[in-house]
Amino acid sequence: MWGGTGFYIQALLYDIDFTEQGEEREIREELERLGEERGAVFLHDMLAEIDPEAAMEIHANNRKRVIRAIEFYRQTGERISEHNKRERQKRSPYDFLYYVLTDDRKTLYERIDQRVDAMVEAGLVGEVEKLMEMGCTKEMVSMQGLGYKEILDYLQGNTSLDEAVTILKRDTRHFAKRQITWFKRERDVRWLNLEDFGRDREKVLEKMLQDIRETYGLETENHGNGCDV
């Protein structure tokens, strides 16, 4: 499976197939080589020619997904946007309530900044140093996650620590914004704004339990840390 949280949820709820086609190493190596030689924008332009809709959804800097989309088209002759659209139309075999918690943008961004500061204080730099000593490099997919690549740039002398932290906060905010956009397109989502509940998680839980009672006619009992349904 490729993709992030949204894809995992889709696979769980709707039995969507994100299984990759059989890998054709020659295609992937060719595209990876083009990306190294001519850059991310060149690859993204290639994708825009064969699948404009996918190019609109996938950022040029997300080289892995851009390559996967081009590779999918070359393997199957089908646009990956059409494949994903068809899969998203599947009906779920389950009864479920699907919630997304959100907050006002200012509070969300403040919490992101606080979380990044906490990660640094908890030893993020030391963690990345140890990974470097183990032979991990920025080219590895595992090292391209938020936090790792920014601190790698610092450790390699490309930025100061303050610059790396600032970039990490900025990129994390951008990521959160993209996640919100993603979930706004999802079916069956029930949005709960934490501000409406005074950011009291117990009140949020009670709202969910009330929805269960009303939707399924079930009795629920809240036991603090958990509930019986």
Side-chain angles (χ1 to χ4, degrees):
M1 179 184 293
W2 59 281
T5 304
F7 285 132
Y8 284 101
I9 294 173
Q10 286 183 354
L12 174 65
L13 295 182
Y14 303 107
D15 195 28
I16 290 178
D17 181 13
F18 291 110
T19 304
E20 296 197 12
Q21 301 292 318
E23 183 176 311
E24 293 186 20
R25 174 53 55 184
E26 290 183 4
I27 295 176
R28 185 163 298 186
E29 288 179 350
E30 174 197 347
L31 295 172
E32 289 174 347
R33 185 170 60 252
L34 282 172
E36 292 298 324
E37 294 174 354
R38 307 192 66 172
V41 173
F42 179 81
L43 284 178
H44 196 259
D45 288 344
M46 287 179 60
L47 176 60
E49 289 184 10
I50 61 175
D51 192 343
E53 187 173 341
M56 288 287 292
E57 293 183 354
I58 304 173
H59 194 280
N61 291 339
N62 195 335
R63 189 180 300 183
K64 181 180 178 182
R65 284 192 62 198
V66 171
I67 288 175
R68 178 67 193 116
I70 298 172
E71 181 184 35
F72 183 88
Y73 180 79
R74 290 192 179 182
Q75 288 177 317
T76 67
E78 180 184 19
R79 296 174 177 177
I80 201 166
S81 61
E82 295 172 350
H83 167 79
N84 291 343
K85 189 181 301 182
R86 185 175 63 252
E87 289 292 315
R88 284 196 293 264
Q89 290 172 350
K90 288 184 175 180
R91 295 184 62 83
S92 177
Y94 309 110
D95 290 329
F96 64 89
L97 298 183
Y98 181 179
Y99 290 95
V100 174
L101 305 184
T102 188
D103 210 331
D104 70 90
R105 197 64 56 90
K106 181 177 182 294
T107 300
L108 178 62
Y109 287 175
E110 287 175 350
R111 292 188 62 189
I112 287 172
D113 289 351
Q114 292 167 5
R115 182 171 182 267
V116 170
D117 288 338
M119 289 167 59
V120 174
E121 292 174 6
L124 177 61
V125 174
E127 178 184 349
V128 178
E129 281 181 318
K130 290 181 181 179
L131 291 171
M132 287 180 64
E133 292 171 1
M134 295 168 59
C136 296
T137 66
K138 193 173 183 179
E139 288 69 35
M140 295 177 176
V141 174
S142 59
M143 298 300 291
Q144 292 172 10
L146 286 169
Y148 288 153
K149 62 181 185 294
E150 293 83 5
I151 298 303
L152 272 173
D153 276 341
Y154 157 63
L155 292 173
Q156 293 171 346
N158 299 322
T159 64
S160 68
L161 179 58
D162 286 344
E163 289 171 333
V165 170
T166 297
I167 293 170
L168 174 54
K169 290 177 178 179
R170 180 202 67 193
D171 289 353
T172 305
R173 291 194 294 268
H174 290 171
F175 177 72
K177 185 177 179 180
R178 290 196 301 273
Q179 281 199 319
I180 291 170
T181 300
W182 168 277
F183 286 112
K184 283 182 177 178
R185 296 198 303 260
E186 287 290 86
R187 292 179 285 163
D188 306 317
V189 168
R190 298 179 179 219
W191 289 85
L192 295 180
N193 191 324
L194 294 176
E195 190 176 15
D196 296 338
F197 298 88
R199 299 187 178 84
D200 185 328
R201 299 306 175 99
E202 287 296 320
K203 292 181 179 178
V204 173
L205 174 60
E206 179 53 40
K207 166 60 178 172
M208 293 178 179
L209 296 176
Q210 181 63 34
D211 286 350
I212 293 173
R213 288 190 287 266
E214 294 176 354
T215 302
Y216 300 110
L218 301 175
E219 293 297 324
T220 62
E221 183 179 355
N222 188 356
H223 292 293
N225 293 329
C227 65
D228 289 339
V229 177

